[in-house]
Amino acid sequence: MSEVRETIHESDDHHVASFGSTMTTFAVLALLAVIQLAVGFNDFGPMKILASLTITGIQVFVLSVFFMDLRQADKLTWLCAGASVFWVLIMFTFTLTDFVTRHMAAY
Amino acid sequence: MAASTMTQEAAPVAHHFNNMLQQQSTVRLGMWLFLVTEVLFFGGAFCAYTGYRIWFPKEFEAGSAALNCGIASVNTFLLLTSSLTCTLAIRAAYKNNQFGIKLWLLATIVLGTVFLGLKGREYHLDYEEGLIPTSRTIVVQEKQDDGTYLPKERSQFAENVTKVLKQEGYKTEGVYMPRVQLFFVFYYVMTGLHVIHMIIGIGLLSWQLTLAQMGFFKHPERYVYIEVMSLYWHFVDMVWMFLLPLLYFAGPHTLEQAIGQFQMAIGLASGHHE
């Protein structure tokens, strides 16, 4: 047990983000929100949803890595975050495989 | 007083942990595991939305065009700023700055409450415009080719949405209104779930603010509780980042329209529906 204690939790290498770093992250997120609104208030046709979701993806990445501190997280936390994305992808894939192809069964 | 005594007596490291760092890692992991369940919970709603939007793109665009983008845009920045103040609360806790913890927790609570206030106003406006899914029907007098009028039974919801969309200058030809009603079911369920999460979050933040008043969050023992609370709050912000483009910007909107809608919502301009 003592070996586990020493190897996994031997030092506190967790550092809180500096004020400047926090404000930079916020500025990036605010800029992305402005771009999101600019896309929303214009007509890009079918590209609009792709552009919107791409911006959302970047926002979620910045928020989780910096504000939610994934960058300093251990492997188990990364596994949690990755697992949630993985299971959501499975849910979307199987559900949409049915929904998107259902009309094909009529022929 | 009893609670204060209890917090002073509570051991910083629970007996089943080896040390403080292991305890903190476990607290963080616990919240992340909870967030995994939350991702799947909201994922189900987003998955259903995606399926029906692929099926009925025109109707979902029409439904979105009837929403108030002005309030949603302002709320986006309120929630984003509350994520910043929540992060600053962690920093204050890490630096053992007791005043900072209270200040930034309070700022987060205020921003979240303003968000909810505006969201409540938006729901109220939707209610006033009759944008509530219902099976209720009304009888209208429809003009015939020979100039006479015949009573016809129409969907109350369809009449209301058509009226709002015409005011927005949106063409409703070929839009099947029962499917627009389906969009509004998604709109109320998804934003409603988000609102419930925000109410819970504000409740928990208020509880933490009360504990902060008692000097509970000392570094290094207990700062991590502020950190895991912020994880939840950031997640709520993350859900909104998806709701904004999928619900509000699925249809056409303009900046001028959004500014007008927001001014009308907060009483700076008269509403077109009044």
Side-chain angles (χ1 to χ4, degrees):
Chain A
M1 277 305 288
S2 61
E3 283 178 17
V4 172
R5 189 187 310 163
E6 283 165 12
T7 51
I8 297 180
H9 302 289
E10 60 186 359
S11 66
D12 185 7
D13 52 357
H14 192 269
H15 301 290
V16 72
S18 70
F19 183 77
S21 163
T22 304
M23 293 309 289
T24 306
T25 306
F26 174 70
V28 170
L29 285 171
L31 179 67
L32 286 165
V34 169
I35 298 171
Q36 182 73 284
L37 294 185
V39 170
F41 289 131
N42 284 286
D43 184 15
F44 293 105
M47 291 303 292
K48 185 174 172 179
I49 183 69
L50 291 176
S52 293
L53 288 179
T54 304
I55 296 162
T56 299
I58 300 169
Q59 279 181 316
V60 167
F61 177 80
V62 173
L63 191 82
S64 55
V65 170
F66 294 96
F67 270 0
M68 295 174 85
D69 221 13
L70 262 183
R71 62 183 170 156
Q72 290 193 77
D74 52 24
K75 286 175 183 170
L76 207 50
T77 309
W78 273 99
L79 188 67
C80 274
S84 66
V85 175
F86 180 68
W87 284 105
V88 163
L89 282 178
I90 288 179
M91 179 161 61
F92 268 72
T93 306
F94 280 90
T95 309
L96 295 181
T97 302
D98 171 26
F99 266 73
V100 177
T101 60
R102 199 177 283 185
H103 66 284
M104 295 177 186
Y107 303 103
Chain B
M1 191 63 194
S4 172
T5 310
M6 188 184 74
T7 55
Q8 283 166 12
E9 287 173 358
V13 180
H15 70 278
H16 49 285
F17 293 114
N18 288 330
N19 54 42
M20 177 63 67
L21 298 176
Q22 188 196 25
Q23 176 167 301
Q24 289 179 342
S25 296
T26 311
V27 171
R28 282 191 202 102
L29 181 65
M31 180 52 86
W32 272 102
L33 282 173
F34 171 68
L35 292 184
V36 172
T37 68
E38 286 281 74
V39 168
L40 289 169
F41 175 69
F42 277 100
F46 280 108
C47 190
Y49 170 92
T50 307
Y52 284 103
R53 180 156 175 193
I54 291 170
W55 271 8
F56 313 132
K58 193 190 289 182
E59 283 78 8
F60 272 47
E61 280 178 25
S64 171
L67 294 180
N68 190 322
C69 271
I71 290 179
S73 303
V74 173
N75 269 350
T76 299
F77 289 100
L78 286 174
L79 210 49
L80 206 55
T81 311
S82 77
S83 268
L84 170 70
T85 54
C86 208
T87 308
L88 292 175
I90 301 174
R91 186 174 162 73
Y94 198 86
K95 301 282 178 191
N96 212 5
N97 173 2
Q98 296 298 318
F99 174 75
I101 297 173
K102 287 180 263 184
L103 174 71
W104 296 121
L105 283 180
L106 184 65
T108 311
I109 292 167
V110 168
L111 287 164
T113 308
V114 175
F115 177 101
L116 286 181
L118 285 173
K119 189 71 206 158
R121 176 69 179 139
E122 187 186 342
Y123 281 148
H124 182 243
L125 287 169
D126 292 337
Y127 172 76
E128 280 186 335
E129 290 176 333
L131 301 177
I132 311 288
T134 175
S135 57
R136 191 180 297 166
T137 55
I138 54 170
V139 176
V140 293
Q141 299 294 327
E142 197 172 270
K143 195 174 185 182
Q144 303 299 300
D145 293 339
D146 59 2
T148 59
Y149 286 87
L150 273 181
K152 291 270 184 181
E153 197 173 25
R154 292 272 179 81
S155 156
Q156 171 83 69
F157 175 82
E159 290 293 307
N160 294 340
V161 172
T162 306
K163 188 180 167 193
V164 171
L165 288 175
K166 277 183 180 165
Q167 285 167 345
E168 306 287 352
Y170 189 90
K171 290 187 177 67
T172 54
E173 285 80 21
V175 175
Y176 186 54
M177 288 302 168
R179 293 172 183 169
V180 179
Q181 190 150 241
L182 183 64
F183 169 84
F184 273 91
V185 170
F186 277 111
Y187 163 70
Y188 285 113
V189 169
M190 291 165 91
T191 56
L193 287 174
H194 182 257
V195 162
I196 289 170
H197 278 75
M198 285 208 62
I199 292 169
I200 293 169
I202 289 172
L204 292 172
L205 284 167
S206 303
W207 180 44
Q208 287 204 330
L209 181 62
T210 310
L211 288 174
Q213 299 279 7
M214 293 154 54
F216 180 80
F217 298 107
K218 283 174 286 185
H219 185 269
E221 298 102 288
R222 300 192 185 104
Y223 97 96
V224 75
Y225 300 118
I226 302 272
E227 192 180 315
V228 292
M229 181 61 225
S230 85
L231 285 178
Y232 175 85
W233 194 255
H234 290 319
F235 174 77
V236 173
D237 189 10
M238 200 181 277
V239 172
W240 181 257
M241 286 173 176
F242 283 98
L243 291 180
L244 181 75
L246 291 178
L247 293 176
Y248 291 92
F249 289 130
H253 293 277
T254 62
L255 182 61
E256 294 73 23
Q257 183 191 31
I259 292 170
Q261 284 175 335
F262 184 74
Q263 287 176 334
M264 186 268 290
I266 60 171
L268 289 176
S270 61
H272 51 61
H273 66 287
E274 290 170 343

